[in-house]
Amino acid sequence: MKLVIAEKPSVGREIAALLGAHEKKEGYFYGNGYSVTWAFGHLISLAMTEEYGMSGFTRERLPILPDPFILTVKKIRKSQLYVVDQGAVKQLKIIDRLMKQCESIIVATDAGREGELIFRYIYDYLNGNKPFERLWISSLTEKAIRKGFENVRPGRDFDSLYQAGLGRSRADWLVGINASQALSIAAGSGIYSLGRVQTPTLALICKRYLENRNFAIQPYWQIQIEHRKEYIDFTCVSQQQWKDKKSADDVLKSIQRKGIATVISAETKSISEQSPLLFDLTGLQKECNKKFNFSAEETLNIAQSLYEKRFITYPRTGSCYIPEDVWPEIPHLIRFMREKESLVQAVAKIVLGQLAKHVVNPLKVTDHHGLLITDKIPSALSVKESTVYDVIALRLLEAVSPPCQKEIIHILTEVNHYEFSCNGVIIREAGWRNIQGGFGEENEDPIQELPSLITGDELKIKVAGVLEKKTRPPVLFTEAGLLSAMENCGKGIQIEEERKVLQALGIGTPATRAAIIETLFKRDYMIRKNKSLVPTEKGLKVYDLIKDKKIADASMTAQWELALQHIENGESDVATFQKGIEEYVSVITRELLACSIAHEQNPELLCPRCKKHSLLLREKVVRCANESCGWWQFRMICGKQLKVKDIKDLIDHKKTSLIKGMKSKMGKKFDAFIVMNDQGETSFMFEK
């Protein structure tokens, strides 16, 4: 009997049906010489410090450098404690029994670094000794799975992939445990969380927020003149900017007296705008955030659902290209799109005999090729699933369309030695832009239609006026912007040689960036304000402490990502990588232990219920120091954090000041006072 181990039950069911393993047992399928079982993601993980006999945080034992690392069964949080997940224990027993009964194993966890690690941790924890092979597929269609089973490879061919996953797992443990404990010890109270990728990402957000907040907005003035020629109205704006309105007004008067502008330059450039590449996961997340305000995690979850339903290929890809052998399938996939009503018009614009092939590049295909739809006709999709499916399908149509051929026109005019400019565009062949009909340019000023102009032409000034403008601060990050910054942080490295190596490499991977962003929300380090990401007071406090430390250095994290790629490619080994991480951890631990966090002086407040014991003000809750009293109050109410002053007002005066911008369960904003009765129970009071 062969044992197939999938990553999730849904994938296990698909594989079992294809292999003819139709007999359902508890936790697996059986039949036709196969048993097919599954994990629930990470059943096994690296043990926490308690399992090394270390409870609490102690300055003297940092840094903690386990040798060897201990593997343990997945734990889940219950109340304030982490306990062993009994569902994981039960499934592990099933896998253990099947591993002992089988002759060999086929690894069918997700084909990537984390999928490989999920299996190897289970195999090592259960002391596996059976030979294993690897199923490597990029979609869950019947055709892809059959082809994968025909070409299973020896499991040891993927040892370097496992080593990279192991290195990433241990590095995250070493940095996360030591840095978090060191900062919490330095703080003296409260628990702070730091991480190898999490903290540089927080630094990106806080740095941008502070640049935005501290930006000194300056007014300035420009002059705009309007012309009309060949029945076309168009405007030109002065190249010069004036810092005071009076100077601009004086120049305006001289221009109005002149009344004529002379064309001193008329340039036309022919541009061939290449069609975009296929989406990788990060590209898909950025697009869905920009167009539909989906979070990175939401987009990933929707894409994963589409993958498990066999409608798209493997979503956690880092490549935008396809290999040569996938190219013949593209015309068939385009024909399948005709079955979906929302895609019919776009497909009609494609000429199958003239498909552009620039997405084919085997050298740039990593573990998996760029995102594609499959040949399974989509049905029973939710609204959001249908939306993401269409985004992927439309990008495929754009990617195989010809370039957009256009002419960019730049006109320069002069009045009284002051220069004015305007831009225009003429679309000669729409090419890929015809698929969704978007011809606009992402410029500050709109591109307008222009008449035919040559150097020396004189243009009568119809209207002239002064425009008041303001300098703009750096915009706050959206999730799309943050994903781009994480993806491209290597480009900001100062040392040229390092920049060349790392410029195409960011922090995190396409598969992990969404989880990193969500972690920052869970840690209360940032919040969403409309589409923008805004750090909390806690996030800014942590940033202020770590901004000059190694742990906040995005380029350092990008270098670790590069080292993990070298391990994955078999060009380096995990032991060397881990040694470097341990040295790095020793440095950041010393840096963090030497810090101190300024604490807000909390007022002495008596419990409103027992009237005897003082209150403990914690980050998320206020509670009575006497546990038997049991009084407590959450500080986060309808999306608003109660400040210390609010809590003092509530205890002393039974009423807070008006709290604005709270949000109901239905998402509706409201303003209210929070009031307290004699029993210490709180409720809302409204102005009207």
Side-chain angles (χ1 to χ4, degrees):
M1 178 197 76
K2 287 189 174 185
L3 171 63
V4 180
I5 302 179
E7 189 164 320
K8 293 182 179 178
S10 58
V11 179
R13 283 193 294 271
E14 294 288 345
I15 292 173
L18 189 68
L19 294 176
H22 299 301
E23 191 172 341
K24 192 176 187 313
K25 302 284 185 178
E26 187 174 15
Y28 71 103
F29 288 91
Y30 177 79
N32 198 30
Y34 290 95
S35 289
V36 181
T37 189
W38 46 81
F40 301 119
H42 283 276
L43 289 179
I44 302 296
S45 60
L46 296 178
M48 300 305 286
T49 51
E50 290 77 9
E51 296 189 49
Y52 294 92
M54 304 175 191
S55 59
F57 296 176
T58 305
R59 179 184 292 264
E60 290 71 29
R61 67 171 174 237
L62 294 181
I64 301 167
L65 307 172
D67 185 19
F69 278 88
I70 298 172
L71 292 176
T72 188
V73 182
K74 174 186 175 185
K75 293 189 175 181
I76 55 175
R77 188 162 187 164
K78 273 196 174 179
S79 299
Q80 299 299 313
L81 300 173
Y82 281 94
V83 297
V84 172
D85 183 347
Q86 292 304 314
V89 171
K90 185 177 179 181
Q91 189 64 16
L92 277 169
K93 287 180 179 177
I94 293 169
I95 295 172
D96 188 28
R97 175 166 53 83
L98 293 172
M99 277 176 59
K100 288 171 180 173
Q101 294 172 354
C102 75
E103 297 169 1
S104 64
I105 300 167
I106 296 176
V107 184
T109 49
D110 282 358
R113 191 187 290 173
E114 286 309 297
E116 191 67 25
L117 189 67
I118 285 170
F119 165 71
R120 298 292 186 110
Y121 270 178
I122 292 171
Y123 190 80
D124 290 350
Y125 182 79
L126 297 176
N127 297 312
N129 57 9
K130 299 293 173 69
F132 58 89
E133 298 172 295
R134 197 29 156 130
L135 175 72
W136 194 268
I137 54 177
S138 287
S139 80
L140 291 174
T141 60
E142 181 177 337
K143 180 181 177 182
I145 295 173
R146 286 193 186 280
K147 186 176 179 181
F149 271 99
E150 290 168 4
N151 295 282
V152 290
R153 292 166 56 187
R156 297 304 172 191
D157 285 1
F158 298 88
D159 282 354
S160 58
L161 183 68
Y162 162 57
Q163 293 296 317
L166 185 67
R168 194 277 312 154
S169 178
R170 290 179 176 178
D172 286 347
W173 192 101
L174 287 165
V175 176
I177 293 291
N178 286 288
S180 298
Q181 289 199 16
L183 185 58
S184 299
I185 290 167
S189 66
I191 304 297
Y192 292 86
S193 168
L194 300 179
R196 183 179 63 90
V197 181
Q198 171 198 145
T199 303
T201 305
L202 174 64
L204 289 171
I205 294 160
C206 291
K207 184 173 183 289
R208 175 63 63 85
Y209 170 78
L210 292 172
E211 287 172 346
N212 175 280
R213 190 184 71 180
N214 298 332
F215 185 85
I217 295 175
Q218 300 291 337
Y220 66 93
W221 288 264
Q222 289 177 284
I223 296 173
Q224 177 176 282
I225 54 179
E226 295 182 23
H227 305 288
R228 181 177 179 83
K229 186 182 180 185
E230 298 173 3
Y231 304 103
I232 296 172
D233 293 312
F234 61 102
T235 61
C236 295
V237 177
S238 63
Q239 300 276 76
Q240 186 171 337
Q241 300 173 358
W242 289 270
K243 292 184 178 180
D244 65 279
K245 188 172 186 296
K246 185 180 182 306
S247 298
D249 284 336
D250 291 342
V251 174
L252 174 64
K253 289 173 185 174
S254 71
I255 285 170
Q256 288 172 328
R257 285 195 296 270
K258 177 77 171 178
I260 296 291
T262 304
V263 177
I264 59 173
S265 173
E267 293 182 355
T268 300
K269 286 185 180 178
S270 295
I271 303 265
S272 180
E273 187 184 20
Q274 185 60 268
S275 55
L277 296 169
L278 299 172
F279 282 126
D280 63 0
L281 176 59
T282 301
L284 178 68
Q285 289 168 321
K286 289 192 291 186
E287 186 79 356
C288 290
N289 182 251
K290 286 176 186 174
K291 286 189 173 180
F292 311 108
N293 203 23
F294 293 174
S295 71
E297 183 180 51
E298 185 177 17
T299 299
L300 174 57
N301 290 339
I302 295 168
Q304 183 68 25
S305 173
L306 289 169
Y307 169 67
E308 290 175 14
K309 292 176 180 178
R310 297 179 290 155
F311 295 130
I312 66 169
T313 57
Y314 186 67
R316 289 176 167 84
T317 177
S319 176
C320 300
Y321 296 87
I322 58 173
E324 190 71 47
D325 62 348
V326 174
W327 177 251
E329 298 178 22
I330 299 301
H332 303 298
L333 298 180
I334 293 172
R335 291 188 189 98
F336 275 109
M337 289 186 208
R338 295 170 183 160
E339 302 297 324
K340 195 167 188 293
E341 187 177 347
S342 58
L343 299 173
V344 171
Q345 286 187 342
V347 176
K349 299 172 184 177
I350 290 288
V351 180
L352 289 175
Q354 299 177 14
L355 301 183
K357 204 176 176 181
H358 79 122
V359 294
V360 177
N361 190 334
L363 297 176
K364 293 189 177 181
V365 175
T366 51
D367 292 341
H368 298 278
H369 56 65
L371 263 168
L372 295 171
I373 61 167
T374 67
D375 58 5
K376 184 182 179 187
I377 298 170
S379 59
L381 297 181
S382 69
V383 173
K384 288 186 176 181
E385 284 177 332
S386 182
T387 297
V388 173
Y389 179 92
D390 284 1
V391 168
I392 296 167
L394 289 168
R395 174 52 64 92
L396 169 58
L397 295 178
E398 288 177 336
V400 298
S401 295
C404 173
Q405 306 293 346
K406 58 188 180 181
E407 291 179 353
I408 302 294
I409 304 160
H410 179 68
I411 303 297
L412 208 59
T413 67
E414 186 180 64
V415 188
N416 291 346
H417 306 295
Y418 294 101
E419 291 184 351
F420 294 77
S421 66
C422 60
N423 295 312
V425 64
I426 299 172
I427 303 295
R428 296 301 182 191
E429 292 180 26
W432 67 272
R433 284 193 173 273
N434 191 38
I435 298 297
Q436 298 192 63
F439 299 100
E441 298 293 323
E442 295 180 358
N443 290 344
E444 181 180 339
D445 299 313
I447 289 180
Q448 56 193 324
E449 182 184 3
L450 295 177
S452 298
L453 295 169
I454 59 172
T455 302
D457 279 351
E458 291 191 339
L459 302 169
K460 185 178 179 181
I461 297 173
K462 250 180 80 178
V463 181
V466 171
L467 299 175
E468 182 178 354
K469 296 186 177 182
K470 292 179 181 178
T471 55
R472 294 184 178 183
V475 295
L476 296 175
F477 278 125
T478 61
E479 284 201 39
L482 180 59
L483 286 166
S484 288
M486 293 174 75
E487 186 178 33
N488 299 309
C489 74
K491 293 178 181 177
I493 293 172
Q494 299 300 314
I495 301 171
E496 186 177 354
E497 288 184 6
E498 289 186 5
R499 184 171 63 250
K500 286 179 180 177
V501 174
L502 292 168
Q503 63 182 353
L505 196 69
I507 55 176
T509 64
T512 61
R513 287 175 188 138
I516 293 298
I517 293 171
E518 289 304 314
T519 296
L520 293 174
F521 288 121
K522 290 173 186 173
R523 299 284 186 257
D524 191 31
Y525 285 163
M526 70 177 183
I527 58 172
R528 288 185 181 93
K529 191 171 281 188
N530 298 322
K531 289 184 73 171
S532 298
L533 303 179
V534 178
T536 60
E537 285 185 32
K538 181 181 178 183
L540 288 169
K541 187 184 289 185
V542 172
Y543 171 69
D544 188 55
L545 197 73
I546 54 87
K547 61 187 176 186
D548 299 321
K549 308 291 186 292
K550 279 187 175 292
I551 194 165
D553 187 353
S555 64
M556 175 71 76
T557 309
Q559 288 171 17
W560 292 131
E561 298 291 350
L562 182 63
L564 289 170
Q565 282 196 5
H566 286 322
I567 295 171
E568 193 170 315
N569 297 335
E571 299 162 359
S572 183
D573 63 271
V574 73
T576 303
F577 173 74
Q578 186 173 321
K579 189 171 184 294
I581 287 284
E582 288 175 353
E583 291 170 357
Y584 167 74
V585 162
S586 298
V587 172
I588 62 172
T589 302
R590 285 196 300 272
E591 287 183 340
L592 292 169
L593 287 173
C595 295
S596 62
I597 295 179
H599 293 285
E600 185 178 8
Q601 190 63 41
N602 291 330
E604 289 289 332
L605 298 171
L606 277 181
C607 173
R609 179 180 290 172
C610 70
K611 310 285 195 302
K612 295 178 182 177
H613 299 278
S614 60
L615 292 179
L616 301 176
L617 273 70
R618 298 291 185 242
E619 189 181 304
K620 295 185 179 180
V621 73
V622 184
R623 67 176 180 84
C624 181
N626 180 18
E627 291 189 8
S628 62
C629 168
W631 184 88
W632 57 270
Q633 172 65 50
F634 280 123
R635 291 185 67 174
M636 182 66 74
I637 299 177
C638 295
K640 284 290 180 178
Q641 176 91 350
L642 292 184
K643 298 175 182 175
V644 173
K645 182 183 180 302
D646 296 324
I647 295 164
K648 189 175 188 309
D649 288 344
L650 192 60
I651 302 300
D652 292 346
H653 308 299
K654 306 299 183 188
K655 180 181 176 181
T656 67
S657 56
L658 185 68
I659 298 175
K660 296 185 176 183
M662 289 189 282
K663 194 176 286 188
S664 70
K665 288 181 180 179
M666 300 299 291
K668 192 173 182 179
K669 288 190 176 181
F670 67 96
D671 304 335
F673 303 94
I674 296 171
V675 295
M676 179 184 288
N677 63 21
D678 292 337
Q679 288 73 46
E681 298 166 334
T682 54
S683 59
F684 294 119
M685 176 188 285
F686 298 94
E687 281 189 291
K688 298 179 181 178

